[in-house]
Amino acid sequence: MQSVDSHNGKNFWRKNSKSVPGSMRAVYGAMHPPITRSPKSSPRKESGQKKVESSDSFQDYQESVNDAWDCGDDEFCVISDVKISNRMVQSAALSVINSHRSGQLGTNSALAELHNQMPAAALEPVEPEMPEVIPHATVNNSHSSSAVLSCTTAASSERDAVRQEKFLELISNNNTNLPELRKLSWSGIPPSVRAVTWRLLNGYLPANAERREDTLKRKREEYWSFVNQYYETRHEDIYQDTFRQIHIDIPRMSPLIPLFQQIIVQEMFERILYIWAIRHPASGYVQGINDLVTPFFIVFLHEVVPKEESLDTYDVEQVSEEDRAVVEADSFWCMSKLLDGIQDNYTFAQPGIQNKVQQLRELMKRIDFSLHCHLERHEIDYLQFSFRWFNNLLMRELPLGCTVRLWDTLHAEPDGFSHFVLYVCAAFLKHFSQHLMAQRDFQGLMLLLQNLPTSNWSDSEISLLVAEAFRLKYVFADAPNHLQANKK
């Protein structure tokens, strides 16, 4: 069943297949829209008055942003002493996790049983216990380097060892059963098999074992032929603006992690992004795409770095030139595969993200109407905070290791990066509902929304987050009447 947008008649929940016109000129997106007005500058809206949205609001916003990565752009501080809660509806969440682990998630009967087993309280906000909000200077990139890759490099438990054997058994088959691999990956992938599993789920590596070696060799050679053919054109007049923007953005990426400040790493990212940009002229390079390379780079680098080494401080110069070439080529192709499914997020005016922001607004009306009204009452536009969430797939809201864990599930979920991420963002916003409700003015809300306290998050929080997202998808994705109920 599909939901239909009452304004334009287009499918609401499914990806619109209509082609999006592109531009040969590079488009520079933004991480989050600026605060264009103060709530004090305009009178408070009456409760019965409909909010009028200008049709060119996004264009006005885009033109007002020259460089969304200016130093201090994201330097918001949380200035509250309040302790906030961090437990979602655990009974429902754990039921989802257990269902995935038992391999029963793919059947409709299992889903119905899961829904029937949910207690009534699962649909209501719960008063949980959460760690104290710790102020930190910058958004997302402020996570300390000592823990930022902890989700990626943590030692496997006994359960992980058993799961690792299951992964190896599936991967080593002559024809890997991808549906079974997705089910197994949904709850997280052991670090030792994550690289090959991502290649398979991404569609980069064939399921047929006999074709894998030839495919990898051909694709890696093809990438380096692109480098030889195109990379020298970066200083030509037609391309120099694109390369300049890439060159500016790369050093700003994860500035507190020594790994990404190494010149050799930055050069690898520059080649990946530049080659992708000139091969996709409809979008060109858009700020935010650079972040989408990072998880692939981390996972594939982890595959060639000695296990006893700390990845976030490892000197990539020590990796052999051949291994570095493999990491770079595989990161390029996997990022390209990912962007093929969400390219309308990065074409002119980024319509895919605009649609997702609107869908998030409608979804929040149903799952947390009090929070939605609270944001509307204080003139918080969803575009002002969730644009960055969709543009970067929550990468700048979470520690990097947690992003890697989240991407395990996004790779495993059908249309994870284009569809399921909507429910992840809804669960993420709902997760901080109580603390957001405690903020009583525009400034306090924006400061918190731009700097949500996730620096101490680990795999367990991500597991609960994706489980809640799955519950929301199950309840609302095929229920258009639910989405229309609050429209007037």
Side-chain angles (χ1 to χ4, degrees):
M1 185 180 295
Q2 295 180 347
S3 175
V4 178
D5 190 332
S6 61
H7 296 293
N8 53 30
K10 295 180 181 177
N11 290 342
F12 185 78
W13 290 107
R14 293 188 180 175
K15 179 179 177 182
N16 185 6
S17 59
K18 184 178 179 181
S19 60
V20 179
S23 171
M24 296 300 290
R25 177 175 55 83
V27 179
Y28 302 129
M31 298 305 98
H32 58 81
I35 301 171
T36 57
R37 68 183 187 277
S38 168
K40 296 181 181 179
S41 63
S42 59
R44 185 179 298 274
K45 291 182 174 63
E46 295 297 329
S47 58
Q49 183 180 357
K50 291 185 178 180
K51 181 177 179 181
V52 179
E53 296 183 357
S54 172
S55 60
D56 61 349
S57 59
F58 184 85
Q59 182 178 354
D60 292 341
Y61 137 67
Q62 190 177 39
E63 292 175 353
S64 69
V65 179
N66 292 323
D67 187 356
W69 286 100
D70 282 341
C71 294
D73 174 35
D74 290 334
E75 293 182 358
F76 291 96
C77 297
V78 176
I79 54 177
S80 173
D81 299 334
V82 181
K83 290 186 177 182
I84 65 176
S85 54
N86 191 26
R87 182 174 64 87
M88 291 188 293
V89 188
Q90 294 205 14
S91 57
L94 293 176
S95 297
V96 175
I97 295 172
N98 291 333
S99 296
H100 277 284
R101 288 175 180 169
S102 63
Q104 297 176 350
L105 194 57
T107 64
N108 291 331
S109 59
L111 293 176
E113 181 180 358
L114 169 63
H115 185 259
N116 293 332
Q117 289 177 350
M118 288 182 182
L123 302 179
E124 301 295 334
V126 177
E127 178 69 34
E129 296 180 0
M130 291 178 67
E132 183 176 359
V133 178
I134 302 175
H136 42 286
T138 58
V139 176
N140 312 110
N141 283 330
S142 61
H143 306 300
S144 64
S145 61
S146 60
V148 72
L149 303 180
S150 59
C151 296
T152 306
T153 59
S156 299
S157 64
E158 181 178 350
R159 185 183 70 84
D160 289 335
V162 174
R163 296 185 72 248
Q164 180 175 313
E165 292 180 5
K166 295 180 179 179
F167 274 96
L168 290 173
E169 181 179 355
L170 278 174
I171 292 169
S172 61
N173 286 339
N174 289 335
N175 284 284
T176 299
N177 187 327
L178 292 181
E180 287 299 320
L181 187 61
R182 292 183 187 279
K183 291 180 184 179
L184 193 59
S185 301
W186 204 95
S187 299
I189 303 171
S192 60
V193 295
R194 181 173 274 137
V196 65
T197 303
W198 276 24
R199 292 186 182 102
L200 285 164
L201 297 181
N202 182 268
Y204 173 53
L205 191 64
N208 187 308
E210 295 180 356
R211 295 175 50 209
R212 291 176 189 170
E213 184 176 352
D214 290 341
T215 299
L216 289 177
K217 180 180 179 181
R218 175 174 55 83
K219 297 299 286 185
R220 289 163 181 169
E221 289 177 350
E222 186 178 1
Y223 168 73
W224 285 104
S225 71
F226 291 153
V227 173
N228 294 332
Q229 182 178 357
Y230 298 119
Y231 193 59
E232 291 302 319
T233 66
R234 65 191 184 278
H235 298 304
E236 295 180 5
D237 291 344
I238 191 174
Y239 299 125
Q240 65 179 357
D241 287 344
T242 295
F243 182 74
R244 172 186 171 275
Q245 190 63 49
I246 293 172
H247 187 71
I248 290 173
D249 287 347
I250 297 303
R252 298 170 173 177
M253 198 169 55
S254 304
L256 298 183
I257 305 177
L259 174 68
F260 296 107
Q261 302 312 305
Q262 298 178 35
I263 298 300
I264 190 171
V265 172
Q266 295 180 0
E267 290 174 347
M268 293 169 75
F269 272 71
E270 286 179 357
R271 284 192 293 268
I272 291 171
L273 294 169
Y274 180 75
I275 298 302
W276 188 90
I278 63 173
R279 294 190 72 247
H280 295 80
S283 61
Y285 172 71
V286 179
Q287 290 173 313
I289 292 178
N290 55 316
D291 282 324
L292 305 187
V293 183
T294 307
F296 292 118
F297 181 82
I298 287 296
V299 169
F300 298 147
L301 182 63
H302 181 258
E303 191 178 33
V304 299
V305 169
K307 299 299 182 289
E308 66 275 7
E309 297 289 345
S310 176
L311 193 60
D312 51 353
T313 58
Y314 188 76
D315 183 3
V316 179
E317 291 276 7
Q318 297 182 36
V319 178
S320 69
E321 184 176 352
E322 181 180 358
D323 285 341
R324 291 201 306 268
V326 165
V327 170
E328 183 174 334
D330 288 1
S331 297
F332 169 83
W333 286 116
C334 286
M335 181 202 71
S336 298
K337 287 278 189 179
L338 187 158
L339 287 172
D340 285 346
I342 58 172
Q343 192 167 351
D344 57 344
N345 284 10
Y346 304 101
T347 52
F348 180 72
Q350 300 178 259
I353 295 179
Q354 294 188 66
N355 290 336
K356 283 292 186 292
V357 171
Q358 175 62 25
Q359 291 172 10
L360 179 63
R361 180 186 292 110
E362 296 299 325
L363 187 57
M364 290 306 298
K365 289 181 182 179
R366 294 301 303 161
I367 66 177
D368 198 333
F369 189 64
S370 296
L371 175 60
H372 172 78
C373 291
H374 184 66
L375 296 177
E376 294 279 310
R377 185 164 54 252
H378 290 90
E379 300 187 348
I380 300 292
D381 194 316
Y382 283 77
L383 189 70
Q384 291 173 315
F385 62 89
S386 64
F387 180 91
R388 184 176 70 187
W389 296 4
F390 293 112
N391 194 49
N392 302 87
L393 299 178
L394 288 176
M395 276 204 59
R396 298 214 161 250
E397 320 310 315
L398 299 169
L400 182 53
C402 291
T403 296
V404 171
R405 166 62 189 91
L406 174 61
W407 280 33
D408 288 346
T409 299
L410 292 180
H411 274 105
E413 185 73 21
D415 300 318
F417 293 96
S418 61
H419 182 69
F420 187 66
V421 70
L422 169 66
Y423 300 96
V424 174
C425 289
F428 188 66
L429 182 57
K430 180 176 178 285
H431 191 80
F432 297 99
S433 179
Q434 284 190 326
H435 193 52
L436 289 167
M437 292 293 293
Q439 300 297 323
R440 299 302 180 186
D441 56 35
F442 178 88
Q443 181 182 13
L445 282 165
M446 284 305 301
L447 289 176
L448 180 58
L449 285 166
Q450 294 294 345
N451 194 24
L452 292 168
T454 62
S455 59
N456 293 324
W457 276 30
S458 63
D459 278 9
S460 60
E461 284 82 6
I462 299 300
S463 295
L464 291 172
L465 181 70
V466 296
E468 173 67 359
F470 178 83
R471 186 183 71 85
L472 293 176
K473 176 190 172 185
Y474 171 67
V475 173
F476 292 102
D478 294 321
N481 290 335
H482 286 299
L483 295 169
Q484 301 294 329
N486 278 327
K487 288 187 176 180
K488 298 182 180 179

